[in-house]
Amino acid sequence: MLFETAFSKKNRFKKVLGTTFALTFSHFLFLNTAHATWYRYYDNRGIANISTTVSPEHIRRGYETLDSRMQVIRKAQPFESEQFAKLEAQREQAYKQRNNDIRLKSAYSNSHLAEIKKREMLTAIQQQINFQKKQLNLIYKDQLILKQQEQAATLSGKAIPSTLKNALQTNANQIERTQNSILISQTSYQRTEQQYDAIIARLKVLETQN
């Protein structure tokens, strides 16, 4: 009789333990089932589009959050088109800025190296400008000689030789081309300086954020 009583108690303990486990497991299933796993929006034709992530189209049209039993948990109202476009533009700008920052760090590492590169670039362009100006001075000297020959021929009453006329025209063309080259180089100097100033300023901002 004593053995049967102990055995009965053991059976009752197993039943209680089993019931407790069953209730706990059922509660876990309920919580897991109630967890949102789907997002649904309707297009212009009224067709439901369902996915496991929220896309920009979900946000623009408004969407429903569903659990695994496809029951609606909550609804998100559609964004106004103007507000949506503004947020999309901001997101795109942030994406471009992030990629640009990655390229800057890869190319220059830090603002100090960018400043060194800036000086190197500007020095090279300035040397080119100086060379072009020397070339222009030489061409001006040739022009002075040709003008003197032209004046001498005019004072003597002789016709100006065609070779001299051609030389004067060639000289004038050289002056124009060299002046344009100097202008292009000066513009390049200013543009390069501005670009590197912007690069250095951005790198300094990134350095303060680290």
Side-chain angles (χ1 to χ4, degrees):
M1 189 65 180
L2 180 62
F3 172 78
E4 291 178 353
T5 302
F7 183 76
S8 299
K9 289 182 178 179
K10 187 176 181 180
N11 280 341
R12 285 200 303 271
F13 176 75
K14 287 183 177 180
K15 288 180 180 180
V16 171
L17 182 61
T19 302
T20 303
F21 175 78
L23 290 173
T24 303
F25 185 69
S26 298
H27 182 63
F28 170 77
L29 287 178
F30 172 76
L31 291 177
N32 190 52
T33 301
H35 181 67
T37 54
W38 302 99
Y39 303 95
R40 177 176 62 194
Y41 74 88
Y42 293 90
D43 61 20
N44 292 333
R45 295 175 296 174
I47 298 175
N49 293 266
I50 301 176
S51 66
T52 56
T53 58
V54 177
S55 68
E57 194 66 16
H58 282 78
I59 298 173
R60 187 174 72 86
R61 293 181 177 276
Y63 63 94
E64 298 171 331
T65 304
L66 311 173
D67 61 21
S68 59
R69 294 176 300 175
M70 306 306 289
Q71 299 298 311
V72 177
I73 299 174
R74 56 182 173 272
K75 294 184 178 181
Q77 297 299 319
F79 268 41
E80 296 180 2
S81 58
E82 183 177 348
Q83 183 182 9
F84 180 80
K86 183 178 180 180
L87 289 176
E88 278 293 288
Q90 291 175 348
R91 185 185 64 82
E92 183 67 21
Q93 180 62 31
Y95 175 78
K96 290 180 179 179
Q97 184 65 68
R98 184 167 57 254
N99 286 342
N100 186 56
D101 290 343
I102 293 173
R103 287 194 296 269
L104 287 181
K105 288 182 178 180
S106 176
Y108 303 103
S109 297
N110 56 63
S111 60
H112 177 67
L113 292 179
E115 288 175 348
I116 294 175
K117 186 64 176 179
K118 171 189 173 182
R119 289 194 294 269
E120 291 176 350
M121 293 293 293
L122 294 182
T123 298
I125 297 174
Q126 187 59 54
Q127 289 175 346
Q128 183 179 12
I129 293 174
N130 294 339
F131 174 78
Q132 290 169 335
K133 287 182 176 180
K134 288 180 180 179
Q135 291 296 108
L136 183 60
N137 287 334
L138 292 176
I139 298 172
Y140 276 137
K141 289 180 179 179
D142 290 341
Q143 183 189 53
L144 180 60
I145 294 173
L146 293 173
K147 288 290 186 180
Q148 289 174 345
Q149 292 176 1
E150 180 185 38
Q151 186 177 12
T154 301
L155 290 175
S156 64
K158 297 179 181 179
I160 299 175
S162 58
T163 54
L164 180 58
K165 290 181 178 179
N166 292 335
L168 284 167
Q169 185 59 51
T170 299
N171 179 268
N173 293 339
Q174 289 176 336
I175 290 174
E176 183 178 3
R177 285 197 300 269
T178 306
Q179 287 175 336
N180 289 335
S181 296
I182 292 173
L183 182 61
I184 291 173
S185 296
Q186 289 173 336
T187 302
S188 176
Y189 185 99
Q190 295 174 354
R191 184 171 59 250
T192 301
E193 186 175 33
Q194 293 171 354
Q195 288 175 344
Y196 271 97
D197 285 344
I199 289 172
I200 293 168
R202 182 58 187 171
L203 287 171
K204 287 183 178 180
V205 170
L206 295 176
E207 289 166 359
T208 60
Q209 294 176 351
N210 294 336

